[in-house]
Amino acid sequence: MPPPYDAIVVGGGHNGLVAAAYLARAGKRVVVLERRERVGGAAMSEQIFPGFTFSVFSYVVSLLRPEIIRDLDLPRHGLHILPLESTLTPLPGGDYLAQWNDHDQNRRELARHSLRDAEAYDEFGLLMHQMSRAVKPILGLIPPDPASLSPRDLAALARLGSHFRGLGAERFHALHKLLTMSSADYLDEWFETEALKATKAASGIIGTLLGPRSPGTAYVLLHHYMGEIDGVFRAWGFAKGGNGSVSAAIAAAARSFGAEIRTAAPVARVSIDNRRAVGVVLEGGEEIRAKLVVSNADPRRTFLNLVGEQHLPAGFADGIRRFRFRGASAKVNLALGEAPNFTCLPGNGPHLRGAISISPSVEYLERAYDEAKYGEFSRRPYLDIVIPSMIDPGMAPPGQHVMSIFAQYAPYDLNGGWNDARREAFGDAVVDTLAEYAPNLRSAILHRQVVTPADIERTIGLSEGNIFQGELTLQQMFFLRPVPGWAKYKTPIDGLYQCGSGTHPGGGVMGAPGRLAALAILHDSA
Ligand SMILES: Cc1cc2nc3c(=O)[nH]c(=O)nc-3n(C[C@H](O)[C@H](O)[C@H](O)COP(=O)(O)OP(=O)(O)OC[C@H]3O[C@@H](n4cnc5c(N)ncnc54)[C@H](O)[C@@H]3O)c2cc1C
């Protein structure tokens, strides 16, 4: 009897849902099996406290690929992105640096700090735009293997080579610098205002256990620059209803193409018969068979837990064991009785409808990292804050607010390990840090949720709590993600594919790995 499904997708994170939608759209019979009672993985919304809805983990959108929005018609399925207007960096002495979407306003504000930086800013923006355009095609590409002699790989490498040759010498050299330098060193070449350098450098450290002075972080900065909303480069926004509505829209699209989605369906193992994946066994013992299994779980979980080393070639298993996670990020979600009142810009205003970054200087960020390097959490962490209810009032009761605080560094391998006391101590460090700039914060807090890397691992299954299913560092990207020779979603087990952020082009609410995995599967099964 033929198996009831063409493909089982293990995990209903947004990438699993994207893969399922593309496969179902191509006429495949697909079932998604999600371990939790809700889909979305790290892109989910939840009413944690009555009346207050949070994007519990990921909180802003930018990288979601425009072709996915189009192909899956996500706006019709409920996706609505609201743009973020600004980034405010409050400074210790009561001043601030604001970056506005409006060009002239932004230039005036930069000139207040440094005329030289105001002059350099446009040129920097143009170069980053060009660099993003140079790298962006790679986001939509199944990575060719430079060590392979197959005609398909050679042709793709030749196309890539001619793409980069087309950049011209100057831009190619700039790209090389971005790939190799630290974000702090790179930004030193452009700007002198500490808060500007630090706020930009912060994009280079998100999700990694690296500091702004660590080589390679300039590329991560570029990765965050590649976002686009409605054709506007580098724009970041909120999904109305929180990031869970991105996943809900993708799930609705998948269902509209005929995909089945089962929640509370934890997969215990992938069934392997004669070196071929033939289905899965759920934790309750139910066996489900399919022609293919596609894993949205991260590479460690997929291969070492669900498959088992005994089924893997030795070199491949070693590669998976070496793949680095080292989660360093945490979230603090606050329900507030009133809006925060910043000393530097008192009262309500457009600055509360954008991002707020606690990154006064590069030294501040590097010192925060120093503590994490030796296994402690930062007592004065880097914070990236948004107040979604300022833009989307439905997230909180009238007059009250939800505040999302992304915080680094909170190393997974904390000295002595994470426990309730350490979690709350880190929550206190975050609140104390922010209260230095917004003194009414403490008294405004009605409820607080602190999410450490250990909580991220336990709740959504991201190994070591790494937000990207594995560090986004150069040695783990492109044809090396997750293992050299196995970056094309296919695995050494016949009929088993990967589709999560642990594959090219990596993490973020981007959907690209899910789409590329589906395209690889459709190509292989054509
Ligand atoms: C705290 C935090 C903040 C972030 N902030 C942002 C942000 O603001 N913007 C942004 O773009 N990105 C952000 N990210 C990163 C982004 O959210 C992730 O990279 C992305 O959501 C990962 O999606 P995914 O589908 O690849 O994997 P996941 O979201 O990890 O989904 C994997 C799914 O597989 C399921 N699963 C695992 N094992 C099994 C099993 N055995 N059986 C069944 N199901 C299983 C899991 O439950 C999960 O639902 C953040 C992440 C975190 C954690």
Side-chain angles (χ1 to χ4, degrees):
M1 209 172 68
Y5 297 105
D6 293 313
I8 291 169
V9 178
V10 179
H14 83 287
N15 274 313
L17 297 169
V18 167
Y22 273 87
L23 291 174
R25 194 175 77 134
K28 302 286 180 197
R29 294 160 305 155
V30 184
V31 63
V32 177
L33 301 172
E34 166 55 45
R35 179 181 137 259
R36 302 191 70 212
E37 56 299 325
R38 60 181 75 228
V39 293
M44 58 85 114
S45 311
E46 190 176 356
Q47 199 174 111
I48 313 172
F49 310 112
F52 296 89
T53 303
F54 290 87
S55 286
V56 178
F57 304 100
S58 65
Y59 52 104
V60 281
V61 192
S62 170
L63 301 163
L64 189 60
R65 304 295 298 138
E67 58 269 26
I68 295 176
I69 299 178
R70 257 191 331 267
D71 290 348
L72 304 184
D73 202 358
L74 295 184
R76 188 167 68 84
H77 293 291
L79 180 71
H80 185 175
I81 308 273
L82 307 160
L84 276 170
E85 295 183 6
S86 57
T87 303
L88 173 76
T89 309
L91 299 174
D95 197 358
Y96 64 88
L97 170 77
Q99 294 173 70
W100 303 102
N101 284 351
D102 179 88
H103 176 268
D104 292 344
Q105 191 182 8
N106 194 48
R107 196 182 159 84
R108 276 197 303 278
E109 167 65 0
L110 285 173
R112 196 167 70 76
H113 293 270
S114 156
L115 215 49
R116 200 188 109 188
D117 287 358
E119 292 297 327
Y121 197 84
D122 284 350
E123 205 189 322
F124 176 81
L126 181 67
L127 182 71
M128 293 305 273
H129 179 87
Q130 289 168 340
M131 294 298 98
S132 303
R133 287 192 91 92
V135 175
K136 230 170 172 183
I138 293 175
L139 298 185
L141 195 76
I142 296 175
D145 182 354
S148 152
L149 292 176
S150 89
R152 201 169 157 218
D153 280 315
L154 290 174
L157 285 165
R159 275 197 302 276
L160 211 56
S162 87
H163 168 73
F164 283 114
R165 254 198 317 280
L167 290 180
E170 204 180 317
R171 278 185 246 161
F172 187 80
H173 296 151
L175 184 61
H176 186 262
K177 279 186 161 188
L178 270 170
L179 290 176
T180 51
M181 288 176 81
S182 74
S183 48
D185 285 345
Y186 189 76
L187 290 159
D188 268 342
E189 293 190 358
W190 284 90
F191 302 116
E192 59 187 9
T193 305
E194 270 304 313
L196 178 62
K197 286 191 283 189
T199 305
K200 291 213 171 293
S203 307
I205 56 171
I206 283 180
T208 65
L209 188 60
L210 292 174
R213 297 200 190 286
S214 310
T217 46
Y219 175 76
V220 186
L221 183 147
L222 183 65
H223 186 87
H224 284 95
Y225 243 90
M226 275 186 282
E228 176 182 353
I229 289 174
D230 288 341
V232 181
F233 255 116
R234 240 226 95 227
W236 284 85
F238 291 122
K240 188 166 165 44
N243 263 0
S245 39
V246 178
S247 304
I250 303 170
R255 284 197 188 95
S256 76
F257 296 125
E260 211 181 296
I261 299 175
R262 280 179 62 180
T263 54
V267 170
R269 64 183 167 85
V270 175
S271 309
I272 293 172
D273 187 5
N274 212 5
R275 294 195 47 231
R276 186 177 176 88
V278 292
V280 300
V281 179
L282 298 189
E283 275 176 17
E286 184 186 348
E287 207 172 331
I288 307 173
R289 292 178 82 82
K291 289 184 190 159
L292 298 174
V293 177
V294 188
S295 179
N296 180 202
D298 70 41
R300 181 186 290 173
R301 198 165 281 274
T302 299
F303 294 105
L304 304 185
N305 296 6
L306 299 180
V307 171
E309 277 192 49
Q310 70 278 18
H311 296 293
L312 300 170
F316 181 83
D318 288 343
I320 293 293
R321 265 195 308 271
R322 284 189 203 117
F323 189 65
R324 291 209 305 198
F325 290 89
R326 306 194 309 167
S329 318
K331 270 296 288 288
V332 176
N333 295 314
L334 300 179
L336 299 178
E338 62 178 4
N341 192 16
F342 283 86
T343 314
C344 63
L345 269 177
N348 237 318
H351 61 287
L352 298 183
R353 293 199 287 278
I356 298 157
S357 180
I358 303 299
S359 49
S361 68
V362 170
E363 185 184 326
Y364 175 96
L365 300 180
E366 191 67 23
R367 285 192 185 282
Y369 170 57
D370 284 345
E371 290 173 298
K373 236 169 24 189
Y374 301 108
E376 296 298 328
F377 61 68
S378 314
R379 277 164 302 156
R380 283 292 172 270
Y382 157 64
L383 307 179
D384 187 41
I385 302 148
V386 289
I387 312 169
S389 48
M390 280 285 169
I391 297 188
D392 183 1
M395 305 286 283
Q400 304 190 323
H401 291 285
V402 285
M403 178 184 266
S404 156
I405 310 177
F406 178 87
Q408 268 186 224
Y409 298 80
Y412 175 80
D413 278 321
L414 188 73
N415 293 337
W418 286 101
N419 55 33
D420 290 351
R422 302 304 299 280
R423 182 197 294 115
E424 294 314 313
F426 183 68
D428 290 344
V430 168
V431 169
D432 291 348
T433 301
L434 186 54
E436 285 174 13
Y437 303 94
N440 72 328
L441 182 74
R442 273 195 211 90
S443 62
I445 297 174
L446 303 173
H447 307 282
R448 172 172 109 173
Q449 180 197 40
V450 184
V451 183
T452 68
D455 299 320
I456 294 173
E457 181 179 62
R458 187 175 38 79
T459 327
I460 22 177
L462 288 165
S463 294
E464 298 182 26
N466 184 284
I467 70 167
F468 295 139
Q469 286 202 352
E471 276 192 315
L472 267 191
T473 44
L474 280 178
Q475 78 275 16
Q476 312 202 138
M477 294 186 72
F478 200 41
F479 62 91
L480 303 169
R481 192 170 182 88
V483 170
W486 295 102
K488 292 183 183 155
Y489 312 97
K490 210 173 150 81
T491 73
I493 309 286
D494 285 342
L496 176 66
Y497 287 80
Q498 296 178 86
C499 72
S501 301
T503 60
H504 172 76
V509 181
M510 182 159 43
R515 172 177 169 269
L516 290 172
L519 298 186
I521 291 166
L522 294 172
H523 176 272
D524 292 351
S525 60

